[in-house]
Amino acid sequence: MFGINIYMNEYKADKLTSDWLKQNGMDEKSFTVIELPFLQAQQVANALLKFHASLLNEEQTDLLNNYINDIKHKAKRKKLNKTRVYRVLNLGKQINRQVFKAYKRR
């Protein structure tokens, strides 16, 4: 009986982890296939589009949407390079600074 509870808790933990990853635009398989900077950029791109879309211009929005589409497809993922990853991460840093300055002004 004790072993069943442990299994149920592991199942719940796995489900919570899977749900969190989906909310952030990722899945479990990504962690074994994709390098960390690419995953970080994917998380930043999803967060920017979800929470700070009003601060993005059309070019930036296109960059983020294209990155998310490319990272999800295996063939397109192979063509991604670190330059594009760092463009997404730098954009995230830039928007984060704008948000902080706006918060500080209040």
Side-chain angles (χ1 to χ4, degrees):
M1 187 163 134
F2 183 72
I4 294 172
N5 287 336
I6 291 173
Y7 176 74
M8 290 174 66
N9 287 337
E10 287 178 16
Y11 174 76
K12 287 179 184 176
D14 288 344
K15 174 116 176 69
L16 288 172
T17 301
S18 178
D19 291 345
W20 183 87
L21 289 171
K22 285 180 185 176
Q23 289 174 354
N24 288 286
M26 295 182 260
D27 60 4
E28 299 93 6
K29 296 175 190 174
S30 300
F31 290 98
T32 59
V33 183
I34 304 172
E35 293 179 43
L36 186 60
F38 292 88
L39 290 172
Q40 289 172 328
Q42 182 181 8
Q43 184 180 13
V44 167
N46 279 310
L48 288 174
L49 290 170
K50 191 175 191 181
F51 300 112
H52 303 297
S54 62
L55 299 174
L56 301 170
N57 63 32
E58 188 176 338
E59 180 184 330
Q60 294 168 335
T61 303
D62 288 342
L63 169 71
L64 297 175
N65 282 323
N66 290 337
Y67 182 81
I68 290 171
N69 288 334
D70 290 350
I71 197 81
K72 288 182 180 180
H73 295 91
K74 186 176 181 179
K76 292 180 181 179
R77 187 182 315 132
K78 289 180 180 180
K79 295 179 182 178
L80 286 176
N81 57 20
K82 296 241 180 180
T83 304
R84 209 156 145 212
V85 169
Y86 291 121
R87 283 183 62 200
V88 172
L89 292 174
N90 287 335
L91 178 60
K93 186 176 8 175
Q94 176 187 356
I95 298 298
N96 191 34
R97 286 179 180 162
Q98 288 178 10
V99 170
F100 181 74
K101 285 178 184 178
Y103 176 76
K104 195 173 176 182
R105 277 184 254 157
R106 287 198 246 167

